[in-house]
Every structure is written in structure tokens, then in C-alpha cells.
Amino acid sequence: MDVSKMKPIPMTCPTCGRKFLSDETPTPPFCSSRCQLIDLGRWFNEEIGVPFEGEPGDTPVEYRDETLPEHDG
């Protein structure tokens, strides 16, 4: 299949929400290099990440106590 003859796909940038066609950018699914770098920065700053479910038998994250126990020492 010749990619150059494919019909452009309407997309929405996950960073800024701008609507654009897939043939308008070299950085899909982002509308621009700037939005791509913003997204990469969010990953590096750990603002976003892949969810981790844990091992079988682990307490689900939403039920864990967020406070650390006090250490007598």
C-alpha cells in the first residue's frame, strides 16, 4: 500500500487539543514538535506514566495507606 496515496486522518493533539489532519505534521499523534516535547517532559517529570497493577495478591494502590509508619528509634 502506498502511504502517499492514503487519505489524511483527522486527529486531535493529546497535548493541546488542536484538531489537525495526519498529513499536516511529521510528529503524529501530536500537532507539532513543541507538543511532542511537552508530552515527553511530562513523562520525564513523572506527571504521567503507565499504570502498574502490581503482583497477584498485592493490595490495590487505592487501598494502601499513604502515610509511612512512625519509626521508633
Side-chain angles (χ1 to χ4, degrees), residues 47-64:
E47 295 171 26
I48 57 174
V50 178
F52 177 69
E53 295 294 328
E55 301 299 324
D58 282 352
T59 303
V61 173
E62 58 268 18
Y63 296 117
R64 292 185 188 163

Side-chain angles (χ1 to χ4, degrees), residues 8-72:
I9 300 168
M11 301 180 88
T12 301
C13 179
T15 302
C16 70
R18 178 178 168 254
K19 296 192 181 305
F20 64 98
L21 295 174
S22 59
D23 66 347
E24 295 175 343
T25 179
T27 57
F30 305 99
C31 68
S32 65
S33 295
R34 178 180 179 271
C35 283
Q36 184 183 41
L37 290 173
I38 289 170
D39 183 76
L40 182 62
R42 289 176 180 161
W43 283 93
F44 284 155
N45 292 332
E46 297 183 358
E47 295 171 26
I48 57 174
V50 178
F52 177 69
E53 295 294 328
E55 301 299 324
D58 282 352
T59 303
V61 173
E62 58 268 18
Y63 296 117
R64 292 185 188 163
D65 185 4
E66 294 294 326
T67 59
L68 295 173
E70 290 186 25
H71 180 67
D72 294 328

